[in-house]
Amino acid sequence: MNKLSKEKRNHLILVLLVFAVTLGGWYAVVYKSQTDSLNILRAKRVTANQKLYQVKQAIDNADQIESQLCEAKKQLDKIEESLPSGDLYSWAINTMRQFKLAYKVEIPQFSQVDGPKDMTMLPNFPYKQLSFTVGGSGQFHDFGKFVSDFENQYPYMRVMNLSLEPVSGLVASERERLAFRMEVFALVKPGA
């Protein structure tokens, strides 16, 4: 092998160089592109398997989801039955007076009902809103419990713009008495 002529040695080196360049080109073009496309396909397969798992979970839970939907629809229908209807002013007065019976709170002042009108907080909301102002007085703790229980019992009503002031000129036992004024906003079903 050491006795190759210079010309044969140059041919051999040239053949080895061409072979190395061809092998490198094949690796860069064919093998690398194939492995890259295989990696992309593997990633797509993992994503598709995750989506398939989510779809299977949704199918497996379809009955549960449907029963939850039916239950939520029943709750919504029950709440909609108690939404304001008819004469809204008398509804507001009757609702507040009936609710306050369990509390030591006096509510002698009612404003006119403003509404029903389009909902201002949420656009394209399927319900209308009405508002009225209520004024009265009560002990600090009684009033706090009154407002808390009121908003919990009526999920479609909210107390806003609440102002509290101490009632002046009272005897020592009545010092915790507060005068309050609050706006009450309620949802109204359209067409009611």
Side-chain angles (χ1 to χ4, degrees):
M1 190 96 159
N2 288 337
K3 303 209 177 202
L4 289 175
S5 68
K6 196 173 187 178
E7 188 179 311
K8 284 187 179 184
R9 190 178 47 139
N10 287 342
H11 282 304
L12 182 61
I13 291 173
L14 184 64
V15 167
L16 289 175
L17 274 173
V18 169
F19 179 74
V21 169
T22 305
L23 187 62
W26 177 81
Y27 175 78
V29 173
V30 176
Y31 181 77
K32 186 70 172 151
S33 67
Q34 289 296 316
T35 54
D36 289 347
S37 65
L38 283 175
N39 289 336
I40 291 170
L41 288 173
R42 283 187 192 112
K44 286 181 180 180
R45 188 180 79 201
V46 168
T47 304
N49 282 339
Q50 289 173 343
K51 286 182 182 179
L52 177 64
Y53 177 74
Q54 290 173 347
V55 168
K56 284 182 179 179
Q57 289 291 72
I59 290 170
D60 291 343
N61 296 332
D63 293 336
Q64 179 184 3
I65 292 170
E66 188 173 342
S67 67
Q68 288 174 346
L69 177 64
C70 289
E71 184 64 32
K73 200 167 179 80
K74 287 177 186 176
Q75 288 176 346
L76 179 62
D77 290 342
K78 184 179 178 183
I79 290 172
E80 281 184 345
E81 287 176 9
S82 63
L83 286 176
S85 61
D87 183 9
L88 298 176
Y89 183 71
S90 64
W91 175 89
I93 291 173
N94 290 337
T95 302
M96 292 301 288
R97 286 195 175 148
Q98 286 175 355
F99 184 77
K100 79 162 186 91
L101 292 176
Y103 303 91
K104 297 175 186 171
V105 176
E106 298 172 16
I107 304 178
Q109 301 172 357
F110 288 93
S111 72
Q112 288 296 320
V113 173
D114 182 24
K117 57 185 176 182
D118 289 334
M119 174 63 93
T120 56
M121 292 191 317
L122 300 171
N124 301 324
F125 196 65
Y127 297 95
K128 302 250 184 223
Q129 78 177 15
L130 65 86
S131 65
F132 57 94
T133 304
V134 176
S137 64
Q139 294 287 335
F140 178 78
H141 295 289
D142 293 332
F143 178 71
K145 183 119 174 87
F146 170 79
V147 171
S148 172
D149 291 347
F150 180 77
E151 285 194 334
N152 287 333
Q153 183 170 340
Y154 298 105
Y156 53 87
M157 295 175 78
R158 285 291 168 253
V159 172
M160 298 182 73
N161 301 327
L162 175 64
S163 64
L164 298 172
E165 297 175 2
V167 176
S168 59
L170 296 176
V171 293
S173 63
E174 293 283 317
R175 288 197 183 173
E176 286 191 8
R177 194 154 192 81
L178 298 172
F180 64 87
R181 185 170 183 80
M182 61 185 181
E183 277 186 86
V184 179
F185 287 83
L187 294 179
V188 179
K189 193 172 181 181

